[in-house]
């Protein structure tokens, strides 16, 4: 009988195949880089086959056989992970562990009501939460370290099955004495030539803000470095920078209703013109045997939307 790869070996191989970087693949699998490398080498010895082309220096290049085995390995791992999940779902729906990933521009404002909702309505779920950027959360979802994500769309999340919940409108935040403060709504065209404070690279809110700014016909910013932009590591830092008069920012309503401007000499005005919102939604692995559970949770999470925002169909 041929020796079978272990589930851990398959996880290492799949992560490396998707991320093409030993360090990031190891981080996604929560192991050291040397452990991941040793696991893949052990798999090669076990199969008596070369899965990686090691003649190309530090680049991660799979052999044709390695690429094919990674594809088959993903199918095998998904089937293997589905076995206990099917058993749990069949025994009692909405029970057992739920490993939830949340992005930083949602987590501080939604985690508390979300946890309270889960505890009240689904007390048999054992919840754990990880906060990270969308890209890293999707990596962890793909290798089985997370079960479900709370996302802000649009985002690069094609590898997950997604379900939109509600629209989260964008507002402009500015110092109290800013010229735009006289307006009841700020047209996107008025963002042209403004000194913008945006989230740093890696946050989907940065790309969403850039998309809003591009709706203004005279927007001169770019996706790269610009003299007219500052970068913030969090929405709280953005509020601080705006309060110091360094520029203006685009802030989601969820954060504003969470009191993020409290104590800052900053005001907000709704944006108008074009699609000026992001969509809060959920994501999980395609074909997950817990999809029905996640859709039930989605219905519960929709109750957390502010009463005056538009729910998604």
């Amino acid at each position: 009988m041929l020796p079978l790869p272990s589930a851990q070996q398959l996880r290492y191989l799949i992560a490396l195949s998707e991320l093409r970087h030993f360090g990031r693949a190891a981080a996604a699998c929560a192991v050291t880089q040397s452990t991941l490398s040793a696991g893949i080498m052990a798999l090669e010895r076990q199969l008596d086959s070369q899965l990686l082309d090691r003649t190309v220096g530090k680049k991660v290049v799979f052999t044709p056989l390695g690429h094919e085995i990674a594809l088959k390995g993903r199918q095998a791992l998904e089937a293997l992970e589905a076995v206990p999940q099917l058993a749990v779902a069949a025994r009692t729906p909405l029970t057992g562990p739920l490993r939830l990933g949340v992005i930083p521009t949602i987590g501080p404002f939604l985690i508390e009501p979300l946890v309270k909702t889960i505890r009240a309505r689904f007390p048999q779920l054992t919840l754990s939460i990880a906060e990270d950027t969308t890209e890293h959360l999707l990596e962890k979802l793909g290798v089985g370290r997370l079960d479900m994500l709370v996302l802000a769309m649009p985002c690069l999340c094609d590898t997950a099955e997604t379900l939109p919940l509600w629209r989260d409108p964008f507002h402009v935040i500015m110092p109290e004495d800013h010229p735009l403060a006289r307006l009841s709504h700020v047209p996107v065209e008025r963002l042209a030539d403004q000194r913008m404070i945006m989230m740093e690279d890696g946050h989907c809110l940065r790309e969403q803000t850039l998309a809003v700014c591009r709706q203004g016909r005279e927007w001169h910013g770019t996706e790269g470095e610009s003299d007219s932009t500052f970068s913030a590591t969090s929405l709280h830092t953005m509020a601080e920078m705006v309060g110091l008069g360094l520029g203006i920012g685009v802030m989601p309503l969820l954060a504003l209703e969470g009191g993020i401007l409290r104590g800052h000499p900053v005001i907000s005005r709704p944006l108008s013109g074009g699609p000026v919102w992001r969509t809060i939604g959920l994501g999980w692995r395609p074909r997950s045997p817990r999809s029905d559970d996640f859709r039930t949770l989605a219905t519960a999470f929709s109750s957390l939307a502010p009463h005056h925002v538009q729910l998604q169909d």
Side-chain angles (χ1 to χ4, degrees), residues 194-213:
Q194 292 291 332
R195 181 176 293 157
M196 299 297 298
I197 300 174
M198 301 187 188
M199 295 293 290
E200 66 179 0
D201 286 336
H203 291 271
C204 56
L205 183 58
R206 178 182 178 86
E207 299 305 317
Q208 293 159 359
T209 300
L210 285 168
V212 167
C213 290

Side-chain angles (χ1 to χ4, degrees), residues 127-190:
L127 181 66
S128 61
I129 298 177
E131 185 181 71
D132 211 330
T133 59
T134 302
E135 180 183 6
H136 292 158
L137 290 178
L138 287 168
E139 291 171 1
K140 294 173 184 177
L141 182 72
V143 298
R145 290 184 58 200
L146 293 172
D147 302 312
M148 187 174 71
L149 310 180
V150 182
L151 301 169
M153 298 176 279
C155 61
L156 297 176
C157 48
D158 294 344
T159 57
E161 181 175 346
T162 57
L163 180 65
L165 300 181
W166 72 83
R167 290 180 179 177
D168 188 18
F170 289 136
H171 288 228
V172 179
I173 62 170
M174 65 197 83
E176 294 173 339
D177 59 353
H178 194 279
L180 294 178
R182 301 192 302 269
L183 304 177
S184 59
H185 289 73
V186 177
V188 291
E189 291 81 6
R190 299 296 296 272

Side-chain angles (χ1 to χ4, degrees), residues 170-289:
F170 289 136
H171 288 228
V172 179
I173 62 170
M174 65 197 83
E176 294 173 339
D177 59 353
H178 194 279
L180 294 178
R182 301 192 302 269
L183 304 177
S184 59
H185 289 73
V186 177
V188 291
E189 291 81 6
R190 299 296 296 272
L191 298 181
D193 299 320
Q194 292 291 332
R195 181 176 293 157
M196 299 297 298
I197 300 174
M198 301 187 188
M199 295 293 290
E200 66 179 0
D201 286 336
H203 291 271
C204 56
L205 183 58
R206 178 182 178 86
E207 299 305 317
Q208 293 159 359
T209 300
L210 285 168
V212 167
C213 290
R214 292 189 195 102
Q215 295 178 46
R217 291 185 298 273
E218 298 178 359
W219 168 249
H220 302 305
T222 67
E223 293 187 9
E225 294 296 323
S226 171
D227 293 337
S228 61
T229 62
F230 288 79
S231 294
T233 58
S234 70
L235 291 179
H236 288 88
T237 302
M238 181 190 294
E240 290 274 1
M241 295 171 75
V242 171
L244 292 171
L246 298 178
I248 66 174
V250 172
M251 185 78 69
L253 179 62
L254 182 68
L256 295 172
E257 296 203 335
I260 194 170
L261 299 186
R262 195 173 298 120
H264 298 292
V266 175
I267 61 172
S268 68
R269 294 289 184 266
L271 269 170
S272 62
V276 286
W277 61 81
R278 63 180 185 174
T279 299
I280 306 298
L282 301 181
W284 56 83
R285 283 184 296 281
R287 302 176 301 280
S288 171

